[in-house]
Short mmCIF file of all heavy atoms in Angstrom, two decimals:
data_model
loop_
_atom_site.label_atom_id
_atom_site.label_comp_id
_atom_site.label_asym_id
_atom_site.label_seq_id
_atom_site.Cartn_x
_atom_site.Cartn_y
_atom_site.Cartn_z
N GLN A 1 -4.42 10.44 -32.77
CA GLN A 1 -5.87 10.39 -32.59
C GLN A 1 -6.38 11.75 -32.11
O GLN A 1 -5.76 12.35 -31.22
CB GLN A 1 -6.23 9.27 -31.62
CG GLN A 1 -7.71 9.05 -31.46
CD GLN A 1 -8.01 7.78 -30.66
OE1 GLN A 1 -7.15 7.32 -29.89
NE2 GLN A 1 -9.20 7.19 -30.83
N THR A 2 -7.52 12.14 -32.69
CA THR A 2 -8.24 13.31 -32.24
C THR A 2 -9.54 12.85 -31.64
O THR A 2 -10.34 12.11 -32.29
CB THR A 2 -8.53 14.30 -33.35
OG1 THR A 2 -7.28 14.71 -33.91
CG2 THR A 2 -9.31 15.48 -32.88
N ILE A 3 -9.81 13.28 -30.39
CA ILE A 3 -10.99 12.81 -29.68
C ILE A 3 -11.74 14.03 -29.14
O ILE A 3 -11.20 14.95 -28.60
CB ILE A 3 -10.61 11.85 -28.53
CG1 ILE A 3 -9.93 10.62 -29.04
CG2 ILE A 3 -11.80 11.56 -27.63
CD1 ILE A 3 -9.22 9.81 -27.97
N GLU A 4 -13.08 13.98 -29.24
CA GLU A 4 -13.91 15.01 -28.69
C GLU A 4 -14.90 14.43 -27.76
O GLU A 4 -15.57 13.45 -28.10
CB GLU A 4 -14.63 15.77 -29.82
CG GLU A 4 -15.46 16.95 -29.30
CD GLU A 4 -16.01 17.80 -30.43
OE1 GLU A 4 -15.61 17.63 -31.57
OE2 GLU A 4 -16.80 18.72 -30.11
N ILE A 5 -14.93 14.95 -26.51
CA ILE A 5 -15.82 14.41 -25.50
C ILE A 5 -16.74 15.57 -25.06
O ILE A 5 -16.31 16.68 -24.74
CB ILE A 5 -15.01 13.98 -24.23
CG1 ILE A 5 -13.95 12.84 -24.64
CG2 ILE A 5 -15.93 13.44 -23.13
CD1 ILE A 5 -14.58 11.67 -25.29
N PRO A 6 -18.07 15.32 -25.01
CA PRO A 6 -19.01 16.38 -24.80
C PRO A 6 -19.02 16.86 -23.35
O PRO A 6 -18.50 16.13 -22.39
CB PRO A 6 -20.35 15.81 -25.14
CG PRO A 6 -20.20 14.34 -24.95
CD PRO A 6 -18.77 14.06 -25.34
N ALA A 7 -19.62 17.98 -23.03
CA ALA A 7 -19.68 18.55 -21.69
C ALA A 7 -20.41 17.60 -20.80
O ALA A 7 -21.35 16.90 -21.19
CB ALA A 7 -20.40 19.93 -21.69
N ASN A 8 -20.04 17.57 -19.52
CA ASN A 8 -20.69 16.77 -18.45
C ASN A 8 -20.49 15.25 -18.63
O ASN A 8 -21.18 14.44 -18.02
CB ASN A 8 -22.13 17.08 -18.36
CG ASN A 8 -22.37 18.58 -17.97
OD1 ASN A 8 -21.70 19.07 -17.07
ND2 ASN A 8 -23.26 19.20 -18.65
N ALA A 9 -19.60 14.89 -19.49
CA ALA A 9 -19.28 13.48 -19.73
C ALA A 9 -17.78 13.24 -19.44
O ALA A 9 -16.97 14.19 -19.45
CB ALA A 9 -19.59 13.00 -21.12
N THR A 10 -17.43 11.99 -19.18
CA THR A 10 -16.04 11.59 -18.99
C THR A 10 -15.66 10.47 -19.97
O THR A 10 -16.56 9.86 -20.49
CB THR A 10 -15.72 11.18 -17.53
OG1 THR A 10 -16.53 10.02 -17.24
CG2 THR A 10 -16.07 12.31 -16.56
N ALA A 11 -14.43 10.25 -20.13
CA ALA A 11 -14.00 9.18 -21.04
C ALA A 11 -12.78 8.46 -20.59
O ALA A 11 -11.89 9.02 -19.88
CB ALA A 11 -13.73 9.80 -22.48
N ARG A 12 -12.75 7.18 -20.88
CA ARG A 12 -11.54 6.36 -20.75
C ARG A 12 -10.99 6.07 -22.13
O ARG A 12 -11.66 5.39 -22.91
CB ARG A 12 -11.91 5.07 -20.01
CG ARG A 12 -10.75 4.05 -19.87
CD ARG A 12 -11.09 2.94 -18.88
NE ARG A 12 -12.29 2.22 -19.29
CZ ARG A 12 -12.27 1.10 -20.11
NH1 ARG A 12 -11.12 0.66 -20.53
NH2 ARG A 12 -13.38 0.47 -20.37
N ILE A 13 -9.82 6.56 -22.41
CA ILE A 13 -9.22 6.43 -23.75
C ILE A 13 -8.14 5.33 -23.71
O ILE A 13 -7.23 5.38 -22.88
CB ILE A 13 -8.59 7.74 -24.20
CG1 ILE A 13 -9.61 8.87 -24.21
CG2 ILE A 13 -7.97 7.61 -25.60
CD1 ILE A 13 -9.05 10.25 -24.40
N CYS A 14 -8.33 4.32 -24.52
CA CYS A 14 -7.38 3.16 -24.55
C CYS A 14 -6.42 3.36 -25.72
O CYS A 14 -6.87 3.53 -26.92
CB CYS A 14 -8.13 1.86 -24.72
SG CYS A 14 -9.39 1.57 -23.43
N LEU A 15 -5.18 3.37 -25.41
CA LEU A 15 -4.13 3.72 -26.47
C LEU A 15 -3.19 2.47 -26.76
O LEU A 15 -2.89 1.72 -25.79
CB LEU A 15 -3.30 4.90 -25.99
CG LEU A 15 -4.06 6.19 -25.81
CD1 LEU A 15 -3.19 7.22 -25.15
CD2 LEU A 15 -4.55 6.74 -27.13
N PRO A 16 -2.75 2.37 -27.98
CA PRO A 16 -1.82 1.27 -28.34
C PRO A 16 -0.41 1.62 -27.87
O PRO A 16 0.52 1.85 -28.69
CB PRO A 16 -1.94 1.24 -29.87
CG PRO A 16 -2.26 2.64 -30.24
CD PRO A 16 -3.13 3.13 -29.10
N ALA A 17 -0.19 1.64 -26.54
CA ALA A 17 1.10 2.00 -26.01
C ALA A 17 1.27 1.34 -24.64
O ALA A 17 0.27 1.01 -23.95
CB ALA A 17 1.21 3.53 -25.86
N THR A 18 2.51 1.12 -24.28
CA THR A 18 2.78 0.59 -22.89
C THR A 18 3.67 1.51 -22.10
O THR A 18 3.72 1.37 -20.90
CB THR A 18 3.53 -0.73 -23.07
OG1 THR A 18 4.71 -0.59 -23.86
CG2 THR A 18 2.62 -1.82 -23.74
N ASP A 19 4.27 2.49 -22.72
CA ASP A 19 5.14 3.45 -22.03
C ASP A 19 4.51 4.84 -22.09
O ASP A 19 4.41 5.47 -23.11
CB ASP A 19 6.47 3.46 -22.74
CG ASP A 19 7.50 4.36 -21.98
OD1 ASP A 19 7.15 4.96 -20.99
OD2 ASP A 19 8.67 4.43 -22.47
N PRO A 20 4.11 5.42 -20.90
CA PRO A 20 3.50 6.76 -20.88
C PRO A 20 4.41 7.83 -21.46
O PRO A 20 3.94 8.85 -21.97
CB PRO A 20 3.19 6.97 -19.39
CG PRO A 20 3.15 5.61 -18.80
CD PRO A 20 4.12 4.75 -19.57
N ALA A 21 5.72 7.62 -21.39
CA ALA A 21 6.69 8.61 -21.88
C ALA A 21 6.57 8.81 -23.37
O ALA A 21 7.05 9.85 -23.91
CB ALA A 21 8.09 8.18 -21.52
N LYS A 22 5.97 7.82 -24.07
CA LYS A 22 5.83 7.99 -25.52
C LYS A 22 4.43 8.49 -25.95
O LYS A 22 4.15 8.52 -27.15
CB LYS A 22 6.08 6.63 -26.22
CG LYS A 22 7.49 6.08 -26.02
CD LYS A 22 7.70 4.82 -26.83
CE LYS A 22 9.12 4.38 -26.74
NZ LYS A 22 9.38 3.13 -27.59
N VAL A 23 3.67 9.00 -25.01
CA VAL A 23 2.33 9.52 -25.28
C VAL A 23 2.29 11.00 -24.95
O VAL A 23 2.71 11.42 -23.86
CB VAL A 23 1.29 8.76 -24.45
CG1 VAL A 23 -0.10 9.30 -24.81
CG2 VAL A 23 1.33 7.28 -24.66
N THR A 24 1.86 11.78 -25.95
CA THR A 24 1.64 13.22 -25.76
C THR A 24 0.22 13.62 -26.10
O THR A 24 -0.45 12.93 -26.90
CB THR A 24 2.62 14.01 -26.58
OG1 THR A 24 2.39 13.76 -28.00
CG2 THR A 24 4.07 13.72 -26.26
N GLU A 25 -0.20 14.74 -25.54
CA GLU A 25 -1.51 15.35 -25.94
C GLU A 25 -1.24 16.79 -26.21
O GLU A 25 -0.70 17.54 -25.43
CB GLU A 25 -2.53 15.21 -24.77
CG GLU A 25 -3.93 15.53 -25.13
CD GLU A 25 -4.24 17.01 -25.31
OE1 GLU A 25 -3.86 17.77 -24.37
OE2 GLU A 25 -4.82 17.39 -26.34
N SER A 26 -1.59 17.21 -27.46
CA SER A 26 -1.35 18.56 -27.99
C SER A 26 0.18 18.91 -27.78
O SER A 26 0.53 20.03 -27.45
CB SER A 26 -2.17 19.62 -27.21
OG SER A 26 -3.51 19.40 -27.51
N GLY A 27 1.02 17.90 -27.99
CA GLY A 27 2.42 18.07 -27.96
C GLY A 27 3.08 18.06 -26.65
O GLY A 27 4.32 18.22 -26.50
N LYS A 28 2.25 17.85 -25.54
CA LYS A 28 2.77 17.84 -24.18
C LYS A 28 2.69 16.44 -23.59
O LYS A 28 1.71 15.75 -23.85
CB LYS A 28 2.02 18.82 -23.33
CG LYS A 28 2.17 20.28 -23.83
CD LYS A 28 1.30 21.19 -22.98
CE LYS A 28 1.34 22.62 -23.50
NZ LYS A 28 0.50 23.51 -22.64
#
């Protein structure tokens, strides 16, 4: 998933996962 959030806003992103170890952002 690619997500863009504008300046001065925040976001809660809900992901189809239960294990944080299997989630990366920009490869990290």
